[in-house]
Amino acid sequence: MKIMIKTELERAFKSWGFWIALIIGIGISVSQIVTRIIPAAINPISFFEPDNATVMPASAFQMWLGNGVTFEYTLYVRLIPILAAMPYAVTYLSDIKSGIIKNYISRTAKINYLVAKYMAVFITGGIVIILPLFLNYLTAIVVLPSFVWPTGVFSVFASGMWSGLFYTNPHIYVIMYMILLFICGGLMSTVVLIVSNLVNNRFVAVLAPYIIAEFANAVLRMADTDWIRKLSPAVLFNMSNINNILSYIVYITFLLILGGLVYFLGGLKHEIY
């Protein structure tokens, strides 16, 4: 099992899809740094109005990408499903179509291959989502003061998830949210594995997470129930929304169960190996 996991991770981190997805994500992050963070860092006091309590000096938590008030972040959130799918997920179907999977399962149990593939896909999908955000966050806290004021200049409102943590320990808040997004991004990438047991086209498989996410964005936002409405990926992946922890629990549980039933059971029963 350990050798299989190591092999799959090496293949994943060397894949062109991983680096292209990472470059796209970092490109969006750098664009936001150039257009918003650096101008604010040149003179943070320029944002301050002494007679207006809602207009304070520029803060790292106000200007970084995750505050969600820029076009770059909106674009980034909408691209998460396709960026998560790009690194390595489609190689499962590629291994089947090329026959290379036969070489692997002739030397190890089929379940070992399936688990190793799932882990490699999950990890690379999570990394390409988090790393651009993390680099942007590090840049912001290095060049800007890390102030937090309860004056409405931040996207985290009192009714928001973990809002109390944000206004007391904002760095811990950001780290916890990034861990949550890592899990969500990793699980989104595994949708390709699930779809690969249902279709025989790599292009369809890799686009499936994006198509499903956009369909969910259109349908779920019309729901009357709050946690169902916030299952919409455009809301779920957005750190600047007033999210519901129940929505994350349902999302994570659903994809874990779906992966177990369709990917693992389907993979074990697949006879073309």
Side-chain angles (χ1 to χ4, degrees), residues 77-141:
V77 169
R78 298 307 284 260
L79 288 180
I80 281 179
I82 193 68
L83 291 178
M86 285 178 64
Y88 195 60
V90 77
T91 59
Y92 174 55
L93 191 53
S94 299
D95 288 354
I96 295 174
K97 293 173 75 71
S98 66
I100 193 174
I101 192 172
K102 296 177 182 178
N103 296 330
Y104 286 121
I105 64 173
S106 66
R107 291 175 286 177
T108 186
K110 188 184 291 186
I111 187 63
N112 291 344
Y113 168 83
L114 293 173
V115 170
K117 180 70 72 176
Y118 189 92
M119 290 181 63
V121 169
F122 179 89
I123 291 171
T124 52
I127 287 175
V128 298
I129 299 308
I130 291 305
L131 190 56
L133 282 174
F134 185 66
L135 293 176
N136 187 280
Y137 170 67
L138 284 181
T139 302
I141 63 176

Side-chain angles (χ1 to χ4, degrees), residues 11 13 28-29 51 57 63 85 90 115 137 153 157 165 187 270:
R11 289 181 64 196
F13 288 122
I28 295 173
S29 177
D51 298 328
M63 296 297 171
V90 77
V115 170
Y137 170 67
V153 299
F157 297 101
L165 182 62
L187 287 173
H270 217 300

Side-chain angles (χ1 to χ4, degrees), residues 21-85:
L22 202 56
I23 289 170
I24 293 172
I26 291 176
I28 295 173
S29 177
V30 170
S31 174
Q32 196 269 351
I33 290 172
V34 172
T35 59
R36 186 165 174 83
I37 293 178
I38 292 179
I42 292 174
N43 186 11
I45 302 299
S46 65
F47 291 79
F48 178 53
E49 294 182 13
D51 298 328
N52 189 342
T54 65
V55 183
M56 306 297 285
S59 166
F61 299 105
Q62 178 188 3
M63 296 297 171
W64 85 290
L65 187 62
N67 196 45
V69 295
T70 62
F71 164 76
E72 288 88 354
Y73 191 55
T74 301
L75 175 64
Y76 189 74
V77 169
R78 298 307 284 260
L79 288 180
I80 281 179
I82 193 68
L83 291 178

